[in-house]
Amino acid sequence: MRAWAVTEHGKPLQEIELPTPEPQGNEVLLEVTHAGVCHSDLHIWEGVYDMGSRGELRMADRGMKLPLAMGHEIVGRVLKCGPGAVGHVKPGDHRVVFPWVGCGTCAACLDDEENMCGNGRSLGVYQNGGYATHVLATHWKHLVAFDGIDPGLAATYACSGITVYSAINKVLPLPAEEPIVLVGAGGLGLNAIAILKALGHGRICVVDVAEDKLAAARAQGATDTVLASDEGTTKRIIEACGGPVAAVIDLVNGTQTARFAFDALRKGGKLVQVGLFGGEMVIPLPLMPIRALTVQGSYVGNVKELRALVAIAQKGGLPGIPLTFEPMDQADAALNRLRSGHVTGRVILTAL
């Protein structure tokens, strides 16, 4: 198999050859047809997370080894099945691959909550992922049929889709006209707008630093948009929403966004932190009990949420997001375009 891999952090991806895996047990080998380029790939490529005053968290310390084919938004065609997968999928089946896999044996994994496993083995992070000609799914249950959905769009559901779906589920139910604030109008933000609309939510306020991203958010269905800047962002959010808000989902989650998001909450409000931009958050502790606030992290999603999200899309209630298609050998160029902020929606790498 060929892979477009990280061989040295921060350096251009390299095309390399690797042994094609032979599926064992419940494993399934797929030929990759589509792979999304996600913002979290930038952190994996750089090999480090900004931990604010606590320094840096290095991917090597989390168990990542190079070379690595990134890519965790994967759609592929089944080529071979391990003995335990026979009868569940067959060669030729086109499937979305759930990438957030765990050890497979702990209580979380057995309950299909593998994203909560303490020994994660996620595809594109700890195992080779979708920036390659082939990918090995660790279990047939991680493969989700998506009949009737564009495969490029279906690929986005494996990360940006279930990530925001899981975060949204942490703030709902709310009245349909209660503003929900989304910080960030990239692939995550646009999918979040689509999912909120599909769930019947009517008031969606999106915050971003770029006017073109806010224009895309309005085209996707955002009812209100706010241009973020160094000063006054909280005030503009409150003005746009008619008062402090019940829920903010921070898809960026940097030092600045965390502060203005927290300050925009009403009494009893909830901030759900999703993004990995980095930094730290300083909270005036008396405000937490005085205003009965909640700050909650949300890490990707589980395979149950992927199945539910695909089902919503198959019913026709989930509008697509802007997609740009590039051949797989342009993975490095696509990653750098994303890094420079020149991507609206999602870049999808396709088989050569």
Side-chain angles (χ1 to χ4, degrees):
M1 60 179 271
R2 285 182 294 160
W4 289 265
V6 182
T7 58
E8 186 177 352
H9 288 300
K11 301 297 183 181
L13 304 184
Q14 299 294 317
E15 182 177 347
I16 63 174
E17 288 190 358
L18 296 168
T20 304
E22 188 68 29
Q24 308 293 321
N26 290 309
E27 296 173 342
V28 179
L29 179 69
L30 299 97
E31 178 186 26
V32 176
T33 62
H34 298 78
V37 181
C38 179
H39 199 277
S40 59
D41 287 339
L42 292 175
H43 298 286
I44 299 166
W45 172 60
E46 291 164 352
V48 67
Y49 293 98
D50 175 9
M51 302 290 282
S53 63
R54 299 193 183 202
E56 295 179 335
L57 173 62
R58 297 193 173 276
M59 292 299 299
D61 297 333
R62 297 182 64 196
M64 178 181 169
K65 296 179 181 179
L66 301 182
L68 174 79
M70 297 189 299
H72 47 261
E73 294 186 342
I74 310 165
V75 161
R77 187 172 290 108
V78 172
L79 289 180
K80 291 183 180 180
C81 297
V86 173
H88 297 283
V89 291
K90 63 183 184 302
D93 286 346
H94 216 185
R95 295 290 187 265
V96 182
V97 183
F98 176 74
W100 309 111
V101 300
C103 68
T105 59
C106 69
C109 288
L110 295 176
D111 196 32
D112 282 345
E113 301 273 357
E114 292 190 57
N115 59 316
M116 293 292 101
C117 177
N119 296 294
R121 300 185 297 134
S122 302
L123 304 184
V125 184
Y126 304 111
Q127 303 183 67
N128 287 317
Y131 293 11
T133 54
H134 299 74
V135 69
L136 186 68
T138 60
H139 200 289
W140 56 263
K141 69 179 180 180
H142 298 146
L143 304 181
V144 178
F146 59 92
D147 305 50
I149 304 172
D150 177 89
L153 181 61
T156 72
Y157 294 154
C159 178
S160 66
I162 60 169
T163 294
V164 294
Y165 184 56
S166 186
I168 287 166
N169 286 335
K170 291 176 174 66
V171 302
L172 294 181
L174 284 172
E177 295 308 313
E178 182 83 46
I180 292 177
V181 176
L182 306 174
V183 180
L188 285 170
L190 297 182
N191 254 330
I193 296 167
I195 292 168
L196 282 167
K197 288 174 63 67
L199 296 175
H201 202 81
R203 191 79 187 276
I204 306 165
C205 178
V206 178
V207 184
D208 202 285
V209 295
E211 280 287 7
D212 62 328
K213 300 289 181 63
L214 293 178
R218 289 189 291 269
Q220 189 74 3
T223 54
D224 306 273
T225 55
V226 172
L227 184 66
S229 60
D230 291 340
E231 301 291 338
T233 304
T234 295
K235 181 181 178 182
R236 291 193 292 277
I237 293 172
I238 291 172
E239 289 174 348
C241 295
V245 300
V248 181
I249 300 174
D250 189 352
L251 304 170
V252 178
N253 198 29
T255 299
Q256 284 189 308
T257 64
R259 180 161 187 168
F260 70 63
F262 180 84
D263 289 347
L265 294 174
R266 66 162 168 79
K267 192 169 186 177
K270 177 181 279 192
L271 168 60
V272 177
Q273 297 180 316
V274 176
L276 298 168
F277 188 86
E280 63 187 354
M281 183 179 185
V282 179
I283 298 175
L285 293 178
L287 290 184
M288 293 295 290
I290 289 171
R291 291 169 57 192
L293 301 174
T294 300
V295 177
Q296 181 176 1
S298 186
Y299 179 64
V300 295
N302 60 51
V303 71
K304 294 177 287 189
E305 289 167 319
L306 178 57
R307 296 184 194 117
L309 183 60
V310 168
I312 292 171
Q314 287 177 318
K315 293 176 183 176
L318 192 57
I321 66 172
L323 301 177
T324 304
F325 294 90
E326 300 284 354
M328 188 69 71
D329 60 4
Q330 294 302 302
D332 187 74
L335 196 66
N336 279 283
R337 279 173 53 204
L338 183 62
R339 187 187 191 194
S340 63
H342 295 149
V343 173
T344 298
R346 233 349 163 241
V347 175
I348 305 294
L349 303 175
T350 58
L352 297 176

